[in-house]
Amino acid sequence: MSKICIVSSHSPYSSTSVRDGIESLLVAASFDMDASLLVLGDGILQLLNKQAPESLPQKNTGSLLQALEIYGVESIYVCEQDLVDRGLTQDDLILTPTIISRSQVPSLLQEQDSILNF
Amino acid sequence: MNYTLVIHGAPASSQACQTALSFAQAAVKRGHSIYRVFFLGDAVHTGSSLTVPPQGEANLHQAWKEFGEEHQIDMVICISAALKRGLLDESEATRYDKAASNIEAPFTISGLGQLIDGTAAADRTITFGN
């Protein structure tokens, strides 16, 4: 099974990058690929559990991410340093992503057959 | 090496489309092949045949069109990004009852499935401008 990682490093509502990334992830999963999501930098804000973007109006990225499991995407990675930098903990996040250190990122990417940046 | 290129940046306000084109030209010149070019987000404007760049500035629509035709490159414009930006081919214009269309061959309009397929089929996928 081909491994694909979507790297998402933008905050949720300033552009369509995040939604484009999530949609690509869903398509990859529907293609029977081993699809994972690596959230970097401000991308961590997509996972906040108290988002209320209704007045923007935009779709809640947290809710979109919650749908990933239904599509068979179970691997979501975040960097511990990105949480620390923003004063966040696991309790602030929707889902339970795998928390890795910055130094583990290269090997995670190394295992992939393909990577798409959003 | 067989490449898929993914372009995010707008042709008129970023360097992404030009950098991708320069890469594609260099790759082909060195004997590599381009499996697919996928225009996503603001990069879909590259497909508009109504683009009129100012004198002395590069015409990226024309440059990609010529490159695509010369090397038979599969150049796909993301449908969801295109429609909301007013970029339609003839069949979409008919479907949504619009007065005009601005996407024509060698560009085609299709979905994200083409992005994932391109990524899976190519030896390398390179993203420009995000």
Side-chain angles (χ1 to χ4, degrees), chain A residues 16-118:
Chain A
T16 57
S17 282
V18 168
R19 281 194 43 206
D20 290 343
I22 295 171
E23 281 168 17
S24 301
L25 194 58
L26 296 177
V27 174
S30 74
F31 273 42
D32 275 338
M33 295 172 90
D34 180 359
S36 57
L37 174 67
L38 168 63
V39 165
L40 289 179
D42 280 344
I44 192 79
L45 303 174
Q46 301 164 36
L47 286 162
L48 289 182
N49 58 13
K50 286 179 187 149
Q51 300 178 55
E54 293 74 20
S55 61
L56 293 177
Q58 287 207 37
K59 283 184 191 157
N60 190 319
T61 53
S63 309
L64 290 172
L65 289 168
Q66 274 183 316
L68 291 179
E69 221 167 20
I70 303 166
Y71 289 87
V73 180
E74 282 157 11
S75 310
I76 299 175
Y77 300 94
V78 303
C79 276
E80 189 177 14
Q81 194 60 45
D82 291 330
L83 287 168
V84 174
D85 287 348
R86 290 160 186 79
L88 300 170
T89 67
Q90 169 74 64
D91 293 342
D92 297 306
L93 305 182
I94 210 159
L95 306 167
T96 41
T98 307
I99 299 175
I100 60 174
S101 67
R102 279 256 187 274
S103 61
Q104 288 171 283
V105 172
S107 59
L108 173 68
L109 296 179
Q110 193 83 51
E111 328 178 317
Q112 308 297 323
D113 294 304
S114 43
I115 298 161
L116 282 174
N117 281 295
F118 287 91

Side-chain angles (χ1 to χ4, degrees), chain B residues 8-65:
Chain B
H8 293 261
S13 58
S14 86
Q15 191 65 13
C17 295
Q18 177 60 60
T19 309
L21 178 62
S22 302
F23 174 86
Q25 288 166 333
V28 167
K29 203 170 171 185
R30 296 280 294 262
H32 300 290
S33 55
I34 307 292
Y35 178 79
R36 179 168 295 143
V37 182
F38 195 87
F39 295 88
L40 190 63
D42 286 339
V44 297
H45 287 291
T46 309
S48 172
S49 56
L50 298 179
T51 309
V52 184
Q55 252 187 350
E57 282 185 26
N59 185 336
L60 278 167
H61 168 76
Q62 191 61 27
W64 269 109
K65 182 174 167 358

